[in-house]
Structure formats: structure tokens, C-alpha cells
Amino acid sequence: MPFLCAECGHRSVKWFGRCPTCGAWDSFSEIRSDDDEPTEASSWLGEELRTIDRVDVDEIERLATGMAEFDRLLGGGLIPGGVILFGGEPGIGKSTLLLQIAQLVAESRGNVLYVSGEESEGQVKLRASRIGVDNKRLYVLAEQSLARIVKAIDQVSPVVLIVDSIQTTVDERTAGEAGSLRQLREVSSELIRRAKSRRMATFLVGHITKEGAFAGPKSVEHLVDVAVYLEGSRGEDVRILRSVKNRFGATHEVVVFRMSAEGLVEISNPSRFFLEDMEAEPQAGTVVVPILEGTRPILIEMQALVSPTGGYGVPQRRCTGLDINRVLLMLAVMEKHLGVQTGGADVYLNLAGGLETRERGTDLGVVAAICSSLRNRPLSARTAMVGEVGLSGEIRSVRRTGERIREAEKMGMERIIVPGSARTPTGSRIDVIGADRIDRAIEAIGLA
Ligand code: TYD
Ligand code: MG
């Protein structure tokens, strides 16, 4: 097909003034057919073709950055030639974290090239000095042209390349504006080719916005080896780095960071960080929940505040860190199966520390926290709770209960309420109580 939209890559046999797929104007141009047609295989593979049992496994060489948690997320460190898509909303801390990583690699491994298409070298330097990044093997280039970036790569021969960001980099040989899908694909595949041939670990920064420009970096996810996203809310100082794809390791791993004036600081024991004060007296409305982030259980404090709605006001339902629809559902289940009325009350829920979760294992914690606040009675002992709650008030099993129990024990919890079907790990000293319905769970914690 001879015509191609430069914005979205839509192909067509005829020319359009406006792309029927993405709506861009004047974006169609003719492509040479030899660019596109698959060439016929000219030679028989013969001997080269192997059955799977005869394929050798390459030893994967790892380049540890020295940022322990980050290395763990990757499965042991960077891979020479491996390409990492590094996504996140603007202002979340991508450039800061990558400068820190650049510094560590430059200190221990060799040259690093940091290309910024958004900031001048001076601006990069300013940020770098604020967070103590000053290594002599760290090269900085403010550049948007792919051709010149490639020249710089040849000149510096970096061990690690950082391109901040793919949305600002343009390949002059390709039509379309910087950031258009076609440019993103061209720029990414060219950089990926360079990364592989030079065995240079490469970070491609991609901005995502909540309003759907998400399509940008997402559209090159299939090209890269690893995709990680940095998340967090702007007002809070917690950042979560999450892997959504990893050709060299497990996915859905997370690293928790705390922001500081010197950049992001890894938190090696997130449970301790999120449990505000282990020694304090238990408060009404507070419950500890072991949530799962990737494969890792993290204990976190959940707080509820239930108070009568004054006058003829509309009852408020607010929550931070949790799915509001899930919370509304829990209120309905509680009314039906526990006889708990919250129709005349405002309900607020909060996950401590700025963490967000969509995990259903928090359901039981929500129910308990609301009951506790409503009755104005704290839970009777240091208790953690986990379980998904179904519409008929049953408590359903969740993944990796055993690990959550062990984490609760490790963090000094005396007791944990889990789904009735869950098995207690052998040798655990924490009091494990299985409950298959919410009324039984509420009774067990002395709030019935
Ligand atoms: P920045 O790294 O520029 O975000 P991104 O590259 O994702 O757009 O960080 C945004 C701002 O936050 C920047 O002004 C620096 C500041 N910041 C800190 O002061 N400490 C930190 O730990 C981080 C991550 C950022
Ligand atoms: Mg940036």
C-alpha cells in the first residue's frame, strides 16, 4: 500500500487529506514499495535451522548499577544491549532518578551519555549538582536530532545511554512531528539497533499523561526489552517504580523510593516505612493490611474516619490510595451483611504514606477500619487483615497469603485475619485466624 500516515502509521491505497484513523491533516505521504514489501527468502536455511533442544543459552551478563533495589527489579542489573523504556508522568522524577543511575554507572563502569531533549546542558548541570552528580565519565548533551545523538554515541562509546525523552527526539529522515507515533517508532527502533550492536544498555524515557497520551510510550513497549513506569502522586514524596515487562526477569516487581533534596532514596524495608509508628497505641479506625506489590508483600496502615453528616448535608465518601467504587461496594455489603448503617455519615479512607493500590485483598481491611471508626474502638491487638470480600459477605482467598502472613509476623504483628481457606505457613508464631465471612472476622477482632 503506497500511502502512509506520518502520525499514526495508517496505511492506505489512496491518499487522504485527513487521516481516517487519527484525524491528522495533511499527514499522508507516498512510500516506496521496496521499503515495505517483504523480500522473498533467497536461500534455504538448511543446517542453521535448529530444534529447541539444540539451542544454546547465552550467559546473561549483568551490569549492576549499585542501586540495590533497582538492580533487583531488573533481575540483577542492567543487560549490555538491553533497552529499558522508562515511563512516567511529567515531573514525577524520571530525569532525577536516571541522573542518579548515570552517576553510579559512571563511577563504577565507564562512560555514560545522558541526552536531554528537554533541558539545556546548563539546566541538567544545575539539577545534577543539587543531587551530587558530577562524574567525569558522565557526558551531557542537549540534543533532539537523532543523527547528532548517533554521532555522540560513536564519539563517547557509552556503557549506558539515556535518551530523555523519546518524544523530543526526531529522525529528520522520517516525516511527522517529534512525538508522533511514526517518529516514536523510528527513533526507538534506530536507538534499539544501536544499543544491540554496541552492547550498550539504553534507557528511553517516555512521558505519559493521564489524559491518554499514554498511547505514546505504550506504542513502543513491544520493541523494548524492559518497560518500567515511575508512579506516585505529585503532593506525596513516595515514588513507586514498577516493571510491566521484563525479558530478562520477573515482571510486576516494584521499588519504593522516597524523594529527598538529594534525589530519590531507595527504601529497602517498605513495611517499616509505611507503618507509621509501631509502638504507638492502636487507634480507632486504623487497620494494618499486607498488600502485594509485585511479588513483594508490604504492610501498610489504612485509616477510616466515619462521622455523622451534619444537618441535611449529603454524606461524603472520599478516599485516597484506594478504589472509591470498591469502597462504596464494601459499604453496601456491610449494610446488608453486618447491619452497619453509614447512610447518615461521612466516610473517609486513607492509605498511609501516599501509596496506591487496586488490590482486592484490601477489602477486609476497609470493612474493619470502617467498623472500628464507627464504633470508636481500636482493634483489640496488633492485628493485620487481608481478604477479598464478595457480595454475599464471604471472604475470598487472595494470592500469596503465606508470604503476607510471614511479612506481618516479621513486622511484629501479633495476629492476622486471613480468608478461611488459607493455609498457615509452618513454623509461624503469629496468631493466624481464618474467617470465611465478614461477620466472623469482625467478631474475631472484637468489633461485633
Ligand atoms: P524530574 O526528575 O524533573 O521529573 P521528570 O523528569 O519525570 O519530569 O523531577 C521533578 C522535580 O522534582 C524537579 O524539579 C526535581 C524535584 N525532585 C526532587 O527535588 N527530589 C527528588 O527526589 C525528585 C525525584 C525530584
Ligand atoms: Mg525530565
Side-chain angles (χ1 to χ4, degrees):
M1 282 188 263
F3 293 98
L4 184 76
C5 169
E7 292 300 318
C8 72
H10 179 83
R11 281 154 197 268
S12 158
V13 281
K14 59 175 202 185
W15 185 87
F16 286 101
R18 184 181 189 198
C19 175
T21 307
C22 69
W25 289 99
D26 209 16
S27 61
F28 271 85
S29 55
E30 191 162 7
I31 44 173
R32 280 174 294 129
S33 61
D34 58 332
D35 271 1
D36 253 58
E37 299 307 321
T39 48
E40 228 172 89
S42 52
S43 63
W44 160 242
L45 288 173
E47 299 289 285
E48 284 174 50
L49 201 53
R50 269 174 297 180
T51 51
I52 193 161
D53 57 311
R54 292 178 52 216
V55 175
D56 302 323
V57 182
D58 300 333
E59 266 303 309
I60 298 184
E61 182 192 337
R62 295 278 184 177
L63 240 160
T65 62
M67 197 178 267
E69 288 282 299
F70 178 67
D71 287 337
R72 180 186 57 78
L73 173 112
L74 295 176
L78 299 167
I79 306 264
V83 179
I84 302 176
L85 176 66
F86 200 101
E89 286 177 42
I92 207 76
K94 299 181 293 301
S95 305
T96 307
L97 182 58
L98 286 171
L99 273 177
Q100 292 176 256
I101 292 170
Q103 165 89 353
L104 287 168
V105 174
E107 273 169 4
S108 62
R109 304 284 170 174
N111 288 351
V112 176
L113 176 60
Y114 177 91
V115 181
S116 178
E118 305 184 340
E119 293 167 305
S120 68
E121 281 145 23
Q123 283 172 306
V124 174
K125 166 79 183 175
L126 214 60
R127 150 126 23 115
S129 13
R130 209 167 50 225
I131 59 176
V133 168
D134 60 356
N135 196 277
K136 286 201 168 56
R137 293 198 287 192
L138 171 53
Y139 291 80
V140 181
L141 173 70
E143 186 55 75
Q144 303 191 325
S145 145
L146 181 64
R148 282 212 284 275
I149 293 172
V150 167
K151 275 214 187 92
I153 295 170
D154 291 339
Q155 205 174 321
V156 174
S157 290
V159 189
V160 170
L161 167 71
I162 299 166
V163 178
D164 190 356
S165 64
I166 46 168
Q167 273 112 332
T168 53
T169 306
V170 269
D171 180 356
E172 290 89 347
R173 297 166 308 176
T174 303
E177 282 172 48
S180 67
L181 285 183
R182 185 153 185 216
Q183 281 285 356
L184 285 186
R185 288 201 192 118
E186 278 308 316
V187 164
S188 307
S189 16
E190 179 61 27
L191 290 169
I192 290 167
R193 266 197 298 279
R194 302 278 158 175
K196 302 291 170 203
S197 67
R198 290 189 153 269
R199 295 181 48 71
M200 148 184 91
T202 299
F203 289 92
L204 303 179
V205 174
H207 289 294
I208 55 173
T209 53
K210 283 208 169 120
E211 294 77 46
F214 210 66
K218 282 273 169 202
S219 69
V220 296
E221 227 174 56
H222 64 287
L223 299 175
V224 298
D225 301 305
V226 178
V228 298
Y229 290 93
L230 189 61
E231 304 168 354
S233 24
R234 234 26 111 78
E236 302 276 354
D237 59 1
V238 174
R239 294 288 178 269
I240 309 267
L241 187 68
R242 202 182 288 278
S243 69
V244 299
K245 169 179 179 178
N246 191 349
R247 285 186 182 150
F248 312 114
T251 43
H252 303 294
E253 292 297 334
V254 297
V255 182
V256 182
F257 291 98
R258 179 174 53 80
M259 270 173 70
S260 76
E262 290 80 43
L264 290 164
V265 183
E266 294 179 292
I267 295 174
S268 51
N269 187 343
S271 293
R272 178 154 306 137
F273 179 74
F274 288 116
L275 288 185
E276 302 273 285
D277 187 358
M278 288 294 294
E279 304 308 317
E281 280 293 299
Q283 299 287 316
T286 299
V287 171
V288 172
V289 180
I291 62 169
L292 214 54
E293 283 289 356
T295 54
R296 167 188 242 186
I298 299 177
L299 257 59
I300 181 160
E301 220 165 67
M302 185 189 289
Q303 295 177 312
L305 176 66
V306 183
S307 64
T309 311
Y312 296 102
V314 181
Q316 302 286 313
R317 271 99 183 82
R318 295 272 161 79
C319 67
T320 44
L322 293 160
D323 178 3
I324 182 78
N325 292 317
R326 201 70 203 159
V327 171
L328 295 177
L329 197 69
M330 287 306 114
L331 291 175
V333 171
M334 289 170 74
E335 179 163 349
K336 178 97 180 167
H337 299 284
L338 293 176
V340 170
Q341 306 286 340
T342 48
D346 296 339
V347 178
Y348 303 95
L349 270 158
N350 179 36
L351 269 195
L355 207 65
E356 272 181 38
T357 182
R358 302 267 132 180
E359 210 212 318
R360 297 203 170 168
T362 56
D363 287 352
L364 189 57
V366 169
V367 170
I370 291 172
C371 277
S372 166
S373 175
L374 194 69
R375 310 221 189 290
N376 205 16
R377 284 212 305 271
L379 271 59
S380 49
R382 295 208 58 83
T383 307
M385 307 191 76
V386 65
E388 177 180 340
V389 174
L391 291 186
S392 48
E394 81 277 21
I395 301 174
R396 299 163 153 259
S397 58
V398 291
R399 290 189 302 136
R400 296 176 184 262
T401 319
E403 280 151 67
R404 302 191 209 223
I405 294 173
R406 273 196 288 274
E407 181 72 6
E409 178 175 338
K410 199 171 89 195
M411 295 312 299
M413 292 286 134
E414 292 162 11
R415 198 169 57 164
I416 182 164
I417 318 289
V418 298
S421 56
R423 247 187 276 152
T424 310
T426 44
S428 55
R429 277 163 292 121
I430 184 173
D431 190 9
V432 181
I433 301 173
D436 40 26
R437 300 196 48 79
I438 48 172
D439 46 350
R440 297 277 306 118
I442 293 305
E443 207 178 290
I445 55 173
L447 291 178

